[in-house]
Amino acid sequence: MPIHLPNTNPQLRIFKGAPDSPFLAPRGVHLLGNKLLVSDTGQNRVFIWNQLPTEEFQSPDVILGQGETTATGRNQGSGVSASTLQYPSGLWGDGQVLTVADAWNHRVLIWHEFPTESGQPADVVLGQTNFVSNEPNQKGVGSSPSEHTLYWPYGLTSDGEHLWVADTGNRRVLYYDQIPIKNNAPADKLIGKDNFQERDYDHTQPIWPYSVKLSPQGQLAITDTQYYRVLLWESWQEAFDQSASVIIGQPDWEANGQNQFGLFPQANTLNWCYDSCFDEGGLWVADTGNSRLLRFNKLPQQHNQFADGLIGPKDFATGSENAETINGTEGALYWPFSVSVYGKTMAIADTGNHRIVLISGDRIPDSGNRNSASTT
């Protein structure tokens, strides 16, 4: 059974990582020109390919977090350092700077010179006072957050000047006015809380912000996993002092049901969503629990808007568990955690299938398509 794609005849390739050490539950993917960056989360490493892979298996050019391709231990099986990773997730780079959300070390690592050698240590750490500490909120479980601390940071993004970090465990998004050049730099502002010490939450703010993304026009999207919704702001500056203008996946601020408490998904529902991605005036949403990507051809202007198209299942009412996947998920998306688009290329972290799906060509669904997209 092929993956169902938009009705525009794109090309699809399956990529499974290094030939001697394939992916295990990759949760982060980032396209940068011809470069492909992957957080091989289950094996505590980040891979970089300087050219998009053309084979099902292909050795990486750079490995971060481990000393060799086949090594997979958390923090290399010993102590945390500037060269180790533990459950890396979101990543962003522009060819000069690379940032990695090192989630289970409760920190963000920054390379101010884009890595060219395997095992290259990071230049800057956020969330910790130094490279050898990794306690949540710096003082351990139960300690209060501050402008310096992090607790399970899973997502991040930048425009090359500013930096946003989804500080998931603290239920907030931190904003840095400039990409920090010093360890333990304080955040300048935050989204989702009234102050840096607060951890309580209300339903009009992000509850479990897993991903944060910025459009070229300055719109902001926060994927709020625990409430099965994506929050949109018309400009990122508005997010510091007001709630989102649009909710995707729920009809209002009080609603928080998986697929809006429906037995099956629909074109306006979400289930354990983990990422979103702006693209050509529209938005893709990784509707992870429904094993699909939803496409909005234009940014929604009202709550609970229906998607225009999808990648993954044959129609909007088909979820993860269905007759076509009962004997395996190789021919479908299965729990896709992240998506990246660069030019006419899309990369999907097909996490449940332990692979990256690469799609090239014209892949945008016809406007108004509410049903099945054709297959490749």
Side-chain angles (χ1 to χ4, degrees):
M1 182 192 66
I3 297 172
H4 291 257
L5 295 171
N7 189 19
T8 48
N9 196 30
Q11 296 179 336
L12 181 148
R13 286 178 288 146
I14 300 298
F15 181 53
K16 297 183 178 180
D20 53 349
S21 189
F23 295 132
L24 178 63
R27 286 197 176 198
V29 64
H30 182 67
L31 289 169
L32 177 60
N34 288 324
K35 294 181 184 291
L36 173 67
L37 287 66
V38 177
S39 285
D40 188 23
T41 308
Q43 299 183 107
N44 306 294
R45 58 195 184 183
V46 167
F47 285 158
I48 299 173
W49 286 266
N50 291 328
Q51 297 291 326
L52 284 177
T54 57
E55 307 292 334
E56 184 179 17
F57 295 95
Q58 191 168 317
S59 297
D61 296 291
V62 176
I63 309 159
L64 301 177
Q66 303 290 345
E68 56 187 32
T69 309
T70 56
T72 63
R74 297 180 183 180
N75 291 320
Q76 297 184 17
S78 59
V80 59
S81 75
S83 301
T84 72
L85 294 167
Q86 185 176 193
Y87 216 76
S89 296
L91 36 73
W92 176 90
D94 63 0
Q96 294 181 325
V97 174
L98 173 65
T99 60
V100 175
D102 189 13
W104 285 10
N105 280 325
H106 310 288
R107 65 184 188 175
V108 167
L109 297 180
I110 302 174
W111 287 259
H112 278 284
E113 291 187 7
F114 203 86
T116 57
E117 297 181 0
S118 294
Q120 187 169 328
D123 300 308
V124 174
V125 61
L126 303 180
Q128 303 292 340
T129 58
N130 54 58
F131 285 109
V132 298
S133 301
N134 67 346
E135 290 292 323
N137 287 329
Q138 297 186 4
K139 296 180 180 179
V141 176
S143 59
S144 297
S146 75
E147 62 269 36
H148 295 275
T149 72
L150 294 169
Y151 198 145
W152 290 333
Y154 283 109
L156 47 74
T157 196
S158 176
D159 58 2
E161 179 182 359
H162 315 99
L163 176 68
W164 290 259
V165 176
D167 187 14
T168 311
N170 285 320
R171 303 181 185 274
R172 64 186 187 177
V173 171
L174 297 182
Y175 164 80
Y176 301 82
D177 196 49
Q178 294 182 328
I179 298 175
I181 58 174
K182 295 182 178 180
N183 293 347
N184 199 35
D188 294 288
K189 296 181 181 180
L190 78 169
I191 300 168
K193 297 289 177 287
D194 294 329
N195 58 69
F196 287 106
Q197 292 72 43
E198 184 181 350
R199 288 196 73 189
D200 293 335
Y201 60 93
D202 68 69
H203 56 277
T204 64
Q205 297 293 343
I207 302 298
W208 195 252
Y210 196 93
S211 163
V212 56
K213 292 294 178 66
L214 187 74
S215 79
Q217 292 74 37
Q219 294 110 336
L220 189 75
I222 295 177
T223 306
D224 192 11
T225 303
Q226 200 169 32
Y227 264 36
Y228 318 108
R229 64 190 183 183
V230 175
L231 306 179
L232 290 179
W233 285 264
E234 282 296 322
S235 71
W236 61 265
Q237 293 92 340
E238 296 175 352
F240 299 126
D241 53 21
Q242 66 186 56
S243 299
S245 55
V246 172
I247 306 169
I248 298 173
Q250 302 291 350
D252 53 50
W253 288 106
E254 287 72 29
N256 61 1
Q258 290 174 267
N259 288 322
Q260 298 184 24
F261 298 109
L263 184 60
F264 300 104
Q266 300 297 329
N268 61 327
T269 73
L270 296 171
N271 181 13
W272 295 112
C273 48
Y274 282 93
D275 194 20
S276 57
C277 179
F278 292 97
D279 174 31
E280 299 181 7
L283 186 75
W284 293 96
V285 175
D287 187 13
T288 309
N290 286 321
S291 291
R292 65 185 187 177
L293 262 65
L294 294 182
R295 167 68 185 180
F296 297 86
N297 289 347
K298 296 181 179 179
L299 292 186
Q301 298 298 307
Q302 59 187 13
H303 299 342
N304 206 31
Q305 188 163 319
F306 284 67
D308 298 297
L310 79 165
I311 291 175
K314 62 183 179 180
D315 56 46
F316 285 109
T318 300
S320 291
E321 308 302 328
N322 59 80
E324 291 179 325
T325 61
I326 194 169
N327 294 317
T329 60
E330 277 289 309
L333 291 181
Y334 192 60
W335 279 70
F337 263 80
S338 66
V339 56
S340 178
V341 174
Y342 192 98
K344 291 295 183 182
T345 302
M346 169 184 282
I348 303 168
D350 190 13
T351 307
N353 281 320
H354 312 293
R355 65 190 185 185
I356 302 298
V357 174
L358 295 170
I359 302 171
S360 59
D362 187 3
R363 65 199 167 275
I364 298 176
D366 295 335
S367 179
N369 178 15
R370 293 283 188 267
N371 298 301
S372 166
S374 67
T375 64
T376 55

